[in-house]
Amino acid sequence: MQRFCLALDLKDDAELIAEYEQWHAKGKGWPEVRQNDLNAGILDLQIYRTGNRMFMILETDDQFTFEKKSEMDAQNPHVQEWERLMWRFQQPLPWAKSGEKWVLMDQIFQFEK
């Protein structure tokens, strides 16, 4: 299993943030998008928020790659529609590359047992 952590900002607008959270409430996600994620090898996906900063944890199978996921996303009209809808609420991090949404984070610490 692999674990990845990513970050993205929401537009700093309380109404937009509340609506974004409604789209992500239990039972509100689109099943076609969830199935695409499962097919790409995502085993678990969690999103946390503080202010307008979001933090996503992906747990994946060992064969998962972001390249494969991007290819699958590009071929799935439901994922494309979902991404267009979500971009209404999201904004790139200041250091994100052009066209980049979720930015992969570097692990800088792990508790040693």
Side-chain angles (χ1 to χ4, degrees), residues 2 4 9 18 34 43 48 53 57 59 73 79 84 92 104-105 108-110:
Q2 303 179 84
F4 302 97
D9 283 348
R34 178 173 166 66
L43 305 173
Y48 295 82
R53 176 79 28 101
I57 302 170
E59 290 186 348
D73 290 353
V79 172
R84 281 190 296 276
L104 190 60
M105 300 174 75
I108 62 166
F109 176 81
Q110 183 168 349

Side-chain angles (χ1 to χ4, degrees), residues 64-77:
F64 174 87
T65 67
F66 286 101
E67 295 78 16
K68 174 182 155 188
K69 171 82 166 81
S70 292
E71 289 172 14
M72 292 177 70
D73 290 353
Q75 295 174 15
N76 188 317

Side-chain angles (χ1 to χ4, degrees), residues 87 92-101 103:
W87 196 238
L93 295 173
W95 52 87
K97 298 175 185 133
S98 179
E100 186 176 38
K101 290 178 80 170
V103 174

